[in-house]
Amino acid sequence: MTRHPFSQDLRDRILYHLTRTQGREPEAATIFDWRLAVSHTVRDLMVDPWMTALRHTREQGAKRVYYLSMEFLIGRTLGDAVINMRLNEAMDEALGQLGLDKREILEDEPDAALGNGGLGRLAACFMESLSSLQCPAVGYGIRYEHGLFRQRFEAGQQVETPEDWLNQPHPWEFTRIDYSYTIGFKGHVEEVDGGVEWHPGESVIARAYDMPVIGWNGEWANTLRLWGAHPTTLLDLQRFNAGDHAAAAEPEALARTLSRVLYPDDTTEAGKELRLKQEYFLTAAALQDILRRFLSEHGDLRLLPGKVAIQLNDTHPAIAGPELMRLLMDEHGLGFEEARDLARGTLNYTNHTLLPEALETWSTWLMGRVLPRHMQIIEMIDADHRAATGRPDHVGIVRNDQVHMGELAFIMAGKVNGVSALHTDLVRSTVFADLHRLHPDRIVNQTNGVTPRRWLRMANPALAGLIDETIGTGWTADLDRLSGLEPHADDPAFREGLRAAKRRNKQWLADHPLGDLGLKADPDAIFDVQVKRIHEYKRQLLNILEAIALWRRIHDDPNGDWVPRVKIFGGKAAPGYWLAKTVIRLINDVAATINNDPMTGKFLQIAYPPNYNVSMAEMLIPAADLSEQISTAGKEASGTGNMKFTMNGALTIGTLDGANVEIREHVGAENFFLFGLTAEEAAAETARPGHARAAIEASEDLRAALQMVAEGRFSGGQGDPYFALLDRTWNDDPFLVASDFGAYFAAQRRVDAAYRDQAEWDRMAALNIARSGYFSSDRTIRGYMADIWRAGPVGG
Ligand SMILES: *Cc1c(COP(=O)(O)O)cnc(C)c1O
């Protein structure tokens, strides 16, 4: 056996931390102790590149990028750090010497689930790419004590329990008690000889908790700085001494509420005072930190746009516009116009959605009460913009006593970007059509991407190894090099390798996660996967109705030549999103019925493992044959799950929505199962009275499937739980499940036919991988650097 030169050293370091950090001897150590010892060992090795990056950035006076996001859906850190630092083989050897099971150690780490879905995962991929590209950057977020809720099913229904990742030491974190800022709320505003003073009525302390984010090759680490809320006064000692112990702790409890929980409302607006306070808490702490650092390095505020680029991930931190102006005017004495121009030269905004219910608004009453000075500045910004552009009244920030955060973000931004080509076109022609006419150069596109380190090299070692053998390892930092696989798509040996890698991933999924659900999944069946938040526009309903229709057909012809399929669902619904929760229940009910049908069992099974998160995505995606990307055209801004699947050699069945459009252009129309209405056709269809009824009447498969649900075929003879869902599908169907059903069913049969020809399927899968290079978040970040931030990499 060849000994990696570093493994002995790693082994010693792990043993050092086991005793010195964990206070354990090997004989008494638990998996948790070992995992912390290994994590501290890896963390030690991250510190030098981290400090070096900070020093280079400072010495070169380089422009910094600041990424403000209410969500960072990180998942686990250890495995990713080991891969990025090229420690994989040495670590395998060191752990082997210690008699430890690597998978067991990696899986002991709780997911950092500080996000709901795509938006938060994008922020995490961006942080990794910024470090891999050696672009000086800081991510700012909130250190939620409780990340996204845990999901279980009881009688098929979603039950939420609190997530508790910080109920144990967090080895990746450095607490910075020296970086603390006071954040005010409420109170009153006073005019004092020409200036304005805001006297907040409440305040909390924002304390910095830093995590290094190590890039590929371990040469550079940026900082993810998460803010924790702490009280300005710890304890009401008078009350405590008077014996009222619970009341004495109240100030602390109130302050900590701000960083207690992540809002689980995926895409729908949370109209809560607490949410507004959380958004301001993040933004105000970040801006104070940014200005402090800027002033210590550069001094002259007029240099701000040349040295600082701030990206607002959606409108959640859009209060940054008024807050930055407040700091510049009230604290640094600049005039309105100079403050406005500096802010606009610094801030940029990413739009993530066109869904009307997801566009944030706050009543002027609430804004004026929680942030009285900001409300004044918002009015000033609005009046100034009206005067400067002569725009009509309906275009403004404040309308009908509501503050529209999208308009505020747009007006205060140097650049506004959409997240896929189609989405950006729709941003220009719909939500911001009027503002786009006034500022035709402001909106740009940056199609999303995902990091190939986590989503290919780490998540799919079998495929990554095959690619390494075929074209070398250069693809890891330059994903366009996957195109070197293209000629191999016709090579039977390569296709055999591809098939074997996929088969290995499927076998593992079948044995473990699916086996744990009591399912015996056939790894030769099509693994058909739809994993993402449960939302009407993503149309899990369409998928499960197709399953019912298919099951009915198999049932009618059980000796037919059916192509075996395992349909896998994963995803959470927002706790208050009643219709989405009904869809979860339906999937589980249908699964229970179909999985117990001995007549159809070898052809169709349905699995819905609970608590979908990043770690589950890392298991499911590499094992998928078919990627379900079936949202109503015009509704999914981009999607990033779609990209992860493509990179891992799954073929897509999908609509012309979000980045699906670009995925199809890249992989080739003949290697993509397209169906359904276009965004334009969907808009027209939605406006056509009776569209759903007409579509249902035209499809016997759909009619029968809906009928079975109504009769309680999957719910013990009682259809009641589904009446509202069925009623909506028949009479309203805003997301066109019925109108697209026929095309979807037909496309699935094309999938069946294609899967029969294994060699051809493998060729298509190979071409999907070879042509997926564009969907690296490195490409996306290079686009932001060139078109939005005007920032470059710093030589290490
Ligand atoms: C990638 C990812 C998402 C986003 O998936 P979409 O299909 O783009 O909605 C959501 N959740 C997790 C855990 C992910 O890894």
Side-chain angles (χ1 to χ4, degrees):
M1 193 168 84
T2 60
R3 169 150 302 192
H4 193 286
F6 205 54
S7 63
Q8 182 66 31
D9 182 35
L10 272 186
R11 198 188 74 119
D12 292 346
R13 285 166 180 260
I14 293 168
L15 286 168
Y16 173 89
H17 276 296
L18 188 75
T19 49
R20 267 61 179 188
T21 305
Q22 289 307 105
R24 290 272 205 211
E25 291 196 315
E27 297 71 35
T30 61
I31 284 296
F32 170 78
D33 293 319
W34 284 113
R35 198 247 303 165
L36 259 76
V38 173
S39 298
H40 278 284
T41 300
V42 171
R43 181 178 109 157
D44 287 349
L45 301 170
M46 285 160 71
V47 172
D48 277 345
W50 192 22
M51 297 297 121
T52 309
L54 290 171
R55 183 158 32 80
H56 279 302
T57 305
R58 231 180 358 252
E59 282 170 4
Q60 299 185 22
K63 187 169 188 175
R64 279 193 173 86
V65 171
Y66 294 103
Y67 198 80
L68 270 61
S69 180
M70 286 288 280
E71 304 190 10
F72 287 90
L73 187 48
I74 300 166
R76 294 179 178 134
T77 293
L78 177 56
D80 194 60
V82 167
I83 293 267
N84 272 4
M85 297 168 78
R86 315 291 291 267
L87 291 171
N88 213 25
E89 286 166 22
M91 184 61 81
D92 284 352
E93 200 170 316
L95 296 181
Q97 289 165 17
L98 292 165
L100 297 168
D101 177 350
K102 182 173 171 207
R103 188 184 278 274
E104 204 183 349
I105 289 190
L106 295 180
E107 289 182 354
D108 184 63
E109 182 175 353
D111 269 42
L114 311 183
N116 276 290
L119 175 147
R121 185 52 235 174
L122 184 76
C125 282
F126 279 7
M127 289 307 299
E128 199 273 354
S129 277
L130 282 161
S131 289
S132 292
L133 295 171
Q134 309 200 355
C135 176
V138 179
Y140 285 113
I142 292 180
R143 181 181 182 270
Y144 302 107
E145 272 174 62
H146 305 288
L148 187 60
F149 65 87
R150 283 205 198 104
Q151 177 197 56
R152 348 183 234 109
F153 299 134
E154 265 175 31
Q157 300 189 68
Q158 172 173 294
V159 176
E160 304 97 25
T161 53
E163 189 283 335
D164 207 16
W165 72 303
L166 288 178
N167 188 26
Q168 53 171 276
H170 177 21
W172 306 110
E173 174 174 271
F174 293 79
T175 307
R176 306 292 188 197
I177 53 169
D178 47 338
Y179 291 135
S180 293
Y181 301 99
T182 305
I183 312 297
F185 302 98
K186 302 191 176 172
H188 66 279
V189 173
E190 193 183 5
E191 302 217 1
V192 280
D193 42 42
V196 178
E197 279 178 9
W198 171 30
H199 303 281
E202 296 173 8
S203 53
V204 299
I205 305 285
R207 175 184 285 175
Y209 295 84
D210 288 354
M211 288 169 69
V213 179
I214 189 81
W216 170 246
N217 236 0
E219 289 164 45
W220 185 277
N222 286 318
T223 304
L224 175 58
R225 175 160 285 181
L226 302 178
W227 301 104
H230 295 268
T232 48
T233 42
L234 260 181
L235 194 65
D236 188 333
L237 204 54
Q238 264 162 9
R239 276 171 155 180
F240 188 88
N241 290 337
D244 194 350
H245 302 147
E250 238 169 54
E252 168 155 31
L254 271 176
R256 289 190 196 274
T257 305
L258 279 183
S259 54
R260 186 98 63 199
V261 285
L262 165 76
Y263 266 86
D265 289 67
D266 187 54
T267 78
T268 53
E269 174 213 335
K272 296 275 163 44
E273 178 178 323
L274 177 60
R275 171 73 179 186
L276 177 59
K277 282 177 146 183
Q278 284 186 326
E279 294 181 353
Y280 179 64
F281 172 76
L282 158 68
T283 307
L287 286 176
Q288 287 190 56
D289 200 42
I290 291 167
L291 281 191
R292 173 199 53 77
R293 188 179 296 108
F294 170 82
L295 288 171
S296 80
E297 288 181 2
H298 305 289
D300 183 352
L301 282 170
R302 283 169 306 184
L303 298 175
L304 197 66
K307 295 296 176 187
V308 170
I310 298 174
Q311 193 67 37
L312 309 179
N313 194 24
D314 212 322
T315 56
H316 313 147
I319 198 70
E323 172 66 2
L324 183 51
M325 288 191 64
R326 183 187 75 80
L327 293 170
L328 295 175
M329 293 190 301
D330 299 356
E331 314 252 310
H332 294 279
L334 300 191
F336 176 87
E337 283 167 17
E338 198 176 5
R340 175 201 62 200
D341 293 345
L342 289 176
R344 259 187 213 148
T346 306
L347 297 168
N348 307 283
Y349 153 56
T350 304
N351 174 279
H352 282 275
T353 180
L354 306 172
L355 298 181
E357 66 270 28
L359 298 171
E360 280 190 303
T361 59
W362 303 103
S363 72
T364 52
W365 177 82
L366 182 67
M367 185 67 82
R369 204 165 57 87
V370 176
L371 299 170
R373 177 57 178 151
H374 299 77
M375 190 62 236
Q376 291 180 341
I377 295 173
I378 290 167
E379 302 272 14
M380 288 160 73
I381 293 168
D382 209 16
D384 172 70
H385 184 257
R386 189 182 309 117
T389 60
R391 68 174 199 216
D393 276 344
H394 69 271
V395 180
I397 301 167
V398 182
R399 286 154 16 218
N400 305 322
D401 300 323
Q402 296 285 317
V403 182
H404 291 254
M405 300 305 272
E407 279 74 1
L408 174 62
F410 189 114
I411 286 169
M412 288 309 298
K415 292 288 178 197
V416 174
N417 75 286
V419 290
S420 72
L422 173 65
H423 170 66
T424 299
D425 283 346
L426 292 171
V427 169
R428 290 193 182 111
S429 62
T430 61
V431 262
F432 292 135
D434 294 308
L435 286 170
H436 174 56
R437 263 190 295 278
L438 296 170
H439 309 280
D441 299 329
R442 197 166 297 182
I443 301 179
V444 296
N445 177 245
Q446 298 298 341
T447 298
N448 284 166
V450 301
T451 166
R453 272 72 65 180
R454 179 178 290 264
W455 292 109
L456 185 48
R457 185 167 280 292
M458 182 182 86
N460 197 345
L463 179 57
L466 175 69
I467 300 174
D468 289 347
E469 282 166 29
T470 311
I471 58 167
T473 61
W475 59 271
T476 320
D478 179 8
L479 204 64
D480 287 330
R481 291 202 205 174
L482 289 180
S483 64
L485 294 172
E486 199 150 321
H488 299 271
D490 290 316
D491 170 6
F494 178 77
R495 289 204 302 241
E496 197 47 51
L498 191 59
R499 166 146 297 268
K502 182 66 79 184
R503 168 84 199 201
R504 231 169 97 181
N505 297 334
K506 289 168 75 175
Q507 184 73 58
W508 192 85
L509 185 71
D511 288 347
H512 298 280
L514 302 190
D516 294 346
L517 296 175
L519 229 68
K520 279 205 185 61
D522 170 10
D524 289 323
I526 302 177
F527 277 26
D528 166 353
V529 184
Q530 185 173 22
V531 286
K532 47 185 72 245
R533 285 300 285 252
I534 310 296
H535 207 292
E536 286 173 281
Y537 83 81
K538 292 178 183 275
R539 297 200 295 193
Q540 283 89 359
L541 179 60
L542 179 59
N543 191 348
I544 197 66
L545 288 172
E546 193 269 340
I548 297 171
L550 176 61
W551 178 59
R552 177 174 157 272
R553 285 206 185 185
I554 299 172
H555 209 87
D556 287 348
D557 179 15
N559 298 314
D561 187 18
W562 303 101
V563 179
R565 240 186 226 249
V566 181
K567 275 200 183 262
I568 302 166
F569 291 84
K572 299 174 183 178
Y577 191 171
W578 188 82
L579 267 167
K581 292 176 113 172
T582 307
V583 171
I584 290 180
R585 184 176 183 180
L586 179 62
I587 296 169
N588 280 320
D589 277 355
V590 171
T593 306
I594 291 185
N595 294 344
N596 284 312
D597 182 347
M599 250 164 71
T600 59
K602 64 175 188 286
F603 294 127
L604 183 61
Q605 289 184 312
I606 298 176
Y608 192 168
N611 203 40
Y612 178 62
N613 59 12
V614 170
S615 292
M616 192 189 292
E618 290 164 7
M619 298 188 295
L620 294 182
I621 292 170
D625 295 305
L626 187 65
S627 161
E628 297 270 355
Q629 308 299 336
I630 60 176
S631 52
T632 316
K635 302 295 179 188
E636 185 75 88
S638 163
T640 49
N642 47 5
M643 302 168 184
K644 301 167 196 164
F645 281 100
T646 301
M647 252 173 226
N648 280 279
L651 305 189
T652 305
I653 182 167
T655 48
L656 279 181
D657 199 15
N660 293 355
V661 176
E662 289 153 87
I663 291 177
R664 180 167 169 271
E665 281 167 8
H666 276 87
V667 306
E670 66 285 7
N671 302 307
F672 185 108
F673 298 97
L674 179 71
F675 75 95
L677 300 171
T678 63
E680 212 172 314
E681 291 165 350
E685 176 78 351
T686 318
R688 207 163 59 86
H691 59 85
R693 196 159 283 273
I696 295 168
E697 275 156 13
S699 163
E700 202 210 317
D701 283 299
L702 176 57
R703 216 167 46 244
L706 292 169
Q707 184 65 28
M708 288 160 86
V709 176
E711 285 168 359
R713 186 77 177 72
F714 309 102
S715 43
Q718 299 296 313
D720 318 32
Y722 300 114
F723 285 171
L725 183 66
L726 292 165
D727 182 68
R728 188 165 165 89
T729 307
W730 273 93
N731 296 314
D732 189 4
D733 195 22
F735 297 102
L736 305 175
V737 169
S739 303
D740 269 345
F741 182 88
Y744 180 59
F745 194 86
Q748 290 286 23
R749 303 295 74 78
R750 283 189 274 133
V751 170
D752 288 338
Y755 196 74
R756 285 175 195 283
D757 186 346
Q758 304 257 298
E760 182 56 19
W761 183 280
D762 294 341
R763 202 182 72 87
M764 291 196 285
L767 290 175
N768 267 260
I769 300 165
R771 297 171 181 176
S772 68
Y774 184 75
F775 301 100
S776 165
S777 45
D778 297 346
R779 185 267 311 151
T780 313
I781 288 297
R782 284 202 181 91
Y784 277 83
M785 291 201 278
D787 308 339
I788 300 180
W789 302 330
R790 294 187 190 89
V794 166

